[in-house]
Amino acid sequence: MPAHDSPGSSLAAVRDARPLVHNITNHVVMNTTANALLALGASPVMAHAPDEVEELAAMAGALVINIGTLDQPWIAAMRLAALAVGRAGRPWVLDPVGAGATGLRTRTALGLLALGPSLLRGNASEILALAGEAGDLPRGVDSTVGSEAAAEAATALARRAGCVVAVTGAVDLVTDGSRALRIANGHPMMTRVTGTGCTASALAGAFLAALPDPLAAAAHALAMLGLAGERAAGGEVGPGLFQTRLLDELYRLGPAELDEGARIS
Amino acid sequence: MPAHDSPGSSLAAVRDARPLVHNITNHVVMNTTANALLALGASPVMAHAPDEVEELAAMAGALVINIGTLDQPWIAAMRLAALAVGRAGRPWVLDPVGAGATGLRTRTALGLLALGPSLLRGNASEILALAGEAGDLPRGVDSTVGSEAAAEAATALARRAGCVVAVTGAVDLVTDGSRALRIANGHPMMTRVTGTGCTASALAGAFLAALPDPLAAAAHALAMLGLAGERAAGGEVGPGLFQTRLLDELYRLGPAELDEGARIS
Amino acid sequence: MPAHDSPGSSLAAVRDARPLVHNITNHVVMNTTANALLALGASPVMAHAPDEVEELAAMAGALVINIGTLDQPWIAAMRLAALAVGRAGRPWVLDPVGAGATGLRTRTALGLLALGPSLLRGNASEILALAGEAGDLPRGVDSTVGSEAAAEAATALARRAGCVVAVTGAVDLVTDGSRALRIANGHPMMTRVTGTGCTASALAGAFLAALPDPLAAAAHALAMLGLAGERAAGGEVGPGLFQTRLLDELYRLGPAELDEGARIS
């Protein structure tokens, strides 16, 4: 295993820093994302006005850009914010929701990727589409293949784009192009509620804001969400109660439990 | 009763097809709608950019247009998407939220209705307003009359617009202008949470995508939601827990239970 | 204590009137706000199109403007709606989310404040920023100081702006510039879920619509939300279950319980 601090120590660092995370995200998950960040112990702000995103970039610990319900005015704001956070030297996460499904999404994601995010997090179909490998395009915003199918593409993309790439699925893969970590936490119920991937990106933003190593930060954020999902899905749970419990677990899970439950290799 | 397959067999067909349902819907219910479709077993995508709605129309099994928080850019996207899905020969649902309450909503709904939806689903006040019968205008987005008060208007509107019309309320009415079905499932608690009508339209979209007969598809979707609502409201439940349980029931309810519990006449 | 009816009698009046509350609010809390108003017993409508906000203003019992995810088109609609509701002589609430955090938010909030809301409700940082007292700017949208730190500023602002000002926090303060009420209801868990402040503003809108005295209306709305929060947080509750229970309590709490539990001085 590569040298890195433990997931639990990362979680403690996030809670200690209580980072302000600026999100330009989609309409579907804005509430979910804000609540997940609050439950984790971070401080979310959602803002998309071109008139203020640069100001917020100078203030926030990290930026998360999610193109889930994009349109031209929002894309312009995303680009302004990405440039500003880059100038400020802060980390930012790109979530290319539905890249490969429509030309607009692929083009927008590639244009944002060229602005240099710290972390690109998508499902396998999205990462394959951005790596230029057609053939397994997403079905709407859902992947049609497992994360391992995108492992090579993710590595190549990480090298080319100079960022960490995370491919989430039953097993998550995180790579910076040379090192790779796999996170085996999670539960199938996470695919039956909307926005789990978006939550992963947002939590990764909080971890990136508080930690120096984006590879470890991303892996630990994914382990945190996956373990919370496992615990939330205990018993015979439906997707309604699962969502309630997921927030509860993001709030309750402590560093020691995370160290014990994380399955990172 | 007109010849049609059972609600349970329709539900099984929806879960088997797992249709991609494209929604251009309102800001209030986007998360609720996505989660209801996922719980049912469909695959939701929310997208409103004029640059991509036509591309999605060629991909999705059905389109759902809901004008709950409309404005001019979104109306333009709705029209583009409706035209594209029409050209693709796919079914689409129009939910005229608040038609009759403001001129903008009435005009927009009538303009979309002229584009030929497969199903128009509204409350009694909205259907009366679109049928040109003033006098029982909605109060904001809530109906001021029961669904039966709109039965004649719904039949006339179905004939004139050439689509199925569903009027939801304590008893739901679905008509194609000649045949009519009434669905007596549901629970008063469904009026104490936001977006139940929007969920009905979205679920109907999933059923329309998977089934050949829009009248039966709409009726079975409404029976499914109504029965899930009855089960979710069991015990002394408040509107918070009710919403949690409603998603759980949409996920858990099986074809046999739906056939047993559906009250369609 | 100044002469005013009891919180319970106010709650009964709200439930009796079932006021239509028009909200132009942020994307994060639209669903939460609509559900909180429904649970309370009011009737929410969300609408932001310039083409219809004036029409709705003539229909609604109150308007709530919340700048949480503002941008230029929405700001224009907010101004139109505020002017229309003012002409109609109806009460309206301004929630200046994040005022002080960015220039856009401060300017927009001050511009709306100049249009004469009935009630300005914010956290201490926001109220201090609008009163022209820099130094304790919010961190994103969260206050960095307690409500008592803004007591003088709130009083001065209430006099200058000619409206009631509510500063919410561990103890809420409501003042019209001469009288002041403090509400000691609430629970720390309310800071771990998004939109509690926005819910406070929305519920205050419902109370203002049904009651003649805006000072008492605001205080009673805050007592209602705070007491619901206390009850929802009973036991070892996480933020997921807390939100579920908060809606349940807003629905269940009766006038007698509110009179008994309210801590207003």
Side-chain angles (χ1 to χ4, degrees), chain A residues 2-262:
Chain A
H4 61 79
D5 292 334
S6 80
S9 65
S10 293
L11 173 60
V14 170
R15 290 199 170 139
D16 193 49
R18 201 171 162 253
L20 181 66
V21 181
H22 173 201
N23 300 270
I24 305 181
T25 189
N26 69 69
H27 295 302
V28 183
V29 303
M30 255 190 232
N31 186 273
T32 314
T33 302
N35 274 316
L37 285 167
L38 280 167
L40 176 71
S43 177
V45 62
M46 272 61 186
H48 66 279
D51 325 48
E52 68 173 359
V53 291
E54 294 173 288
E55 217 171 329
L56 281 167
M59 195 185 305
L63 168 70
V64 179
I65 293 181
N66 175 307
I67 67 167
T69 55
L70 78 180
D71 61 16
Q72 292 302 344
W74 284 59
I75 294 169
M78 289 170 186
R79 294 185 59 88
L80 275 177
L83 288 167
V85 82
R87 285 195 301 271
R90 302 281 166 70
W92 65 284
V93 180
L94 174 60
D95 188 332
V97 181
T102 70
L104 176 67
R105 286 168 192 253
T106 309
R107 285 192 307 276
T108 302
L110 287 172
L112 289 165
L113 187 58
L115 300 183
S118 319
L119 169 68
L120 171 72
R121 191 223 57 87
N123 62 36
S125 288
E126 291 158 353
I127 298 302
L128 286 168
L130 294 182
E133 305 194 11
D136 290 299
L137 295 181
R139 186 159 170 282
V141 294
D142 294 323
S143 187
T144 53
V145 292
S147 58
E148 213 51 43
E152 272 185 52
T155 305
L157 197 55
R159 283 185 193 156
R160 198 195 318 155
C163 69
V164 173
V165 175
V167 192
T168 51
V171 172
D172 304 326
L173 169 77
V174 185
T175 177
D176 62 4
S178 53
R179 296 174 296 162
L181 296 171
R182 282 174 175 78
I183 302 98
N185 295 101
H187 190 278
M189 185 52 77
M190 296 170 83
T191 65
R192 294 303 291 267
V193 301
T194 195
T196 315
C198 307
T199 297
S201 296
L203 298 187
F207 277 71
L208 282 163
L211 298 163
D213 176 4
L215 185 81
H220 296 171
L222 294 174
M224 174 73 182
L225 178 60
L227 185 58
E230 291 169 24
R231 292 164 56 128
E236 262 203 76
V237 73
L241 186 55
F242 175 75
Q243 289 182 82
T244 301
R245 284 192 188 167
L246 186 61
L247 283 181
D248 289 351
E249 292 297 338
L250 287 174
Y251 173 78
R252 282 201 190 113
L253 244 173
E257 294 161 300
L258 180 55
D259 277 338
E260 195 181 339

Side-chain angles (χ1 to χ4, degrees), chain B residues 27-29 32 68-72 74 101-105 107 138-142 189 191-195 236-244, chain C residues 15 17-20 27 30-31 34-35 38-52 55-56 59 74 243-245 247-248 251-252:
Chain B
H27 295 302
V28 184
V29 304
T32 314
T69 53
L70 78 181
D71 61 17
Q72 292 300 345
W74 284 60
T102 71
L104 176 68
R105 285 167 192 252
R107 286 192 307 275
R139 185 158 171 282
V141 295
D142 295 322
M189 186 53 77
T191 64
R192 294 303 291 266
V193 302
T194 195
E236 262 203 76
V237 72
L241 186 55
F242 175 75
Q243 288 182 82
T244 300
Chain C
R15 290 200 171 137
R18 200 170 163 256
L20 181 65
H27 295 302
M30 256 191 232
N31 186 273
N35 274 315
L38 281 166
L40 176 71
S43 177
V45 61
M46 271 64 185
H48 66 279
D51 324 48
E52 69 174 358
E55 218 171 327
L56 282 167
M59 194 183 307
W74 284 59
Q243 289 181 84
T244 301
R245 285 191 187 169
L247 283 181
D248 290 351
Y251 173 77
R252 284 201 188 113

Side-chain angles (χ1 to χ4, degrees), chain B:
Chain B
M1 200 184 345
H4 62 80
D5 293 334
S6 80
S9 66
S10 293
L11 173 59
V14 170
R15 290 200 170 138
D16 193 49
R18 201 172 162 254
L20 181 65
V21 181
H22 174 200
N23 300 271
I24 307 183
T25 189
N26 69 69
H27 295 302
V28 184
V29 304
M30 256 191 229
N31 186 272
T32 314
T33 302
N35 273 315
L37 284 166
L38 281 166
L40 176 71
S43 177
V45 62
M46 271 62 184
H48 65 279
D51 324 48
E52 69 174 357
V53 291
E54 294 173 288
E55 217 171 328
L56 282 167
M59 195 184 306
L63 168 70
V64 179
I65 294 182
N66 174 309
I67 66 167
T69 53
L70 78 181
D71 61 17
Q72 292 300 345
W74 284 60
I75 294 169
M78 290 171 186
R79 293 185 61 88
L80 275 177
L83 289 167
V85 82
R87 286 194 301 271
R90 302 282 166 70
W92 66 284
V93 181
L94 174 60
D95 188 331
V97 182
T102 71
L104 176 68
R105 285 167 192 252
T106 309
R107 286 192 307 275
T108 301
L110 288 172
L112 289 165
L113 187 58
L115 301 183
S118 319
L119 170 66
L120 171 72
R121 191 223 57 86
N123 62 36
S125 288
E126 291 158 354
I127 299 302
L128 285 168
L130 294 181
E133 304 194 12
D136 290 300
L137 296 181
R139 185 158 171 282
V141 295
D142 295 322
S143 188
T144 52
V145 292
S147 57
E148 213 51 43
E152 272 186 50
T155 305
L157 196 55
R159 282 184 193 157
R160 197 194 320 156
C163 69
V164 173
V165 175
V167 191
T168 51
V171 173
D172 304 326
L173 169 77
V174 185
T175 178
D176 61 4
S178 54
R179 296 174 295 163
L181 296 171
R182 282 175 175 76
I183 302 98
N185 295 101
H187 190 278
M189 186 53 77
M190 296 170 84
T191 64
R192 294 303 291 266
V193 302
T194 195
T196 314
C198 307
T199 298
S201 296
L203 298 187
F207 276 71
L208 283 163
L211 298 163
D213 176 2
L215 185 81
H220 295 170
L222 295 175
M224 174 72 181
L225 178 59
L227 185 59
E230 290 169 25
R231 292 164 56 127
E236 262 203 76
V237 72
L241 186 55
F242 175 75
Q243 288 182 82
T244 300
R245 285 192 188 168
L246 185 61
L247 283 180
D248 290 351
E249 292 297 338
L250 288 173
Y251 173 78
R252 283 200 188 114
L253 242 173
E257 293 161 299
L258 179 56
D259 276 338
E260 195 181 336
R263 293 197 296 278
I264 303 177
S265 61

Side-chain angles (χ1 to χ4, degrees), chain C residues 6-33:
Chain C
S6 80
S9 66
S10 293
L11 173 60
V14 170
R15 290 200 171 137
D16 192 49
R18 200 170 163 256
L20 181 65
V21 180
H22 174 201
N23 300 270
I24 306 181
T25 188
N26 70 70
H27 295 302
V28 183
V29 303
M30 256 191 232
N31 186 273
T32 314
T33 301

Side-chain angles (χ1 to χ4, degrees), chain C residues 12-261:
Chain C
V14 170
R15 290 200 171 137
D16 192 49
R18 200 170 163 256
L20 181 65
V21 180
H22 174 201
N23 300 270
I24 306 181
T25 188
N26 70 70
H27 295 302
V28 183
V29 303
M30 256 191 232
N31 186 273
T32 314
T33 301
N35 274 315
L37 285 167
L38 281 166
L40 176 71
S43 177
V45 61
M46 271 64 185
H48 66 279
D51 324 48
E52 69 174 358
V53 292
E54 294 173 289
E55 218 171 327
L56 282 167
M59 194 183 307
L63 168 70
V64 179
I65 294 182
N66 174 309
I67 66 167
T69 54
L70 78 181
D71 61 16
Q72 292 300 344
W74 284 59
I75 294 170
M78 290 170 186
R79 294 185 60 87
L80 275 176
L83 288 167
V85 83
R87 285 195 300 272
R90 301 282 167 70
W92 66 284
V93 180
L94 173 60
D95 188 331
V97 182
T102 70
L104 176 66
R105 286 167 191 253
T106 310
R107 286 192 306 275
T108 301
L110 287 173
L112 289 165
L113 187 57
L115 300 182
S118 318
L119 169 67
L120 171 72
R121 191 222 58 85
N123 62 36
S125 288
E126 291 158 353
I127 299 303
L128 286 167
L130 295 181
E133 306 195 11
D136 291 297
L137 295 181
R139 185 158 170 281
V141 295
D142 295 322
S143 187
T144 51
V145 292
S147 58
E148 213 50 44
E152 271 186 51
T155 305
L157 197 55
R159 283 184 194 158
R160 198 194 319 154
C163 69
V164 172
V165 175
V167 191
T168 51
V171 172
D172 304 326
L173 169 77
V174 184
T175 177
D176 62 4
S178 53
R179 296 173 296 162
L181 296 171
R182 282 175 174 78
I183 302 99
N185 294 102
H187 190 278
M189 185 54 77
M190 297 170 84
T191 64
R192 293 305 291 267
V193 302
T194 195
T196 315
C198 307
T199 297
S201 296
L203 298 188
F207 276 71
L208 283 163
L211 299 163
D213 176 3
L215 184 81
H220 296 170
L222 294 174
M224 174 73 182
L225 178 59
L227 184 59
E230 290 169 24
R231 291 165 56 129
E236 262 203 75
V237 72
L241 186 55
F242 175 75
Q243 289 181 84
T244 301
R245 285 191 187 169
L246 184 62
L247 283 181
D248 290 351
E249 292 297 338
L250 287 174
Y251 173 77
R252 284 201 188 113
L253 242 174
E257 294 161 300
L258 179 55
D259 277 337
E260 195 180 338

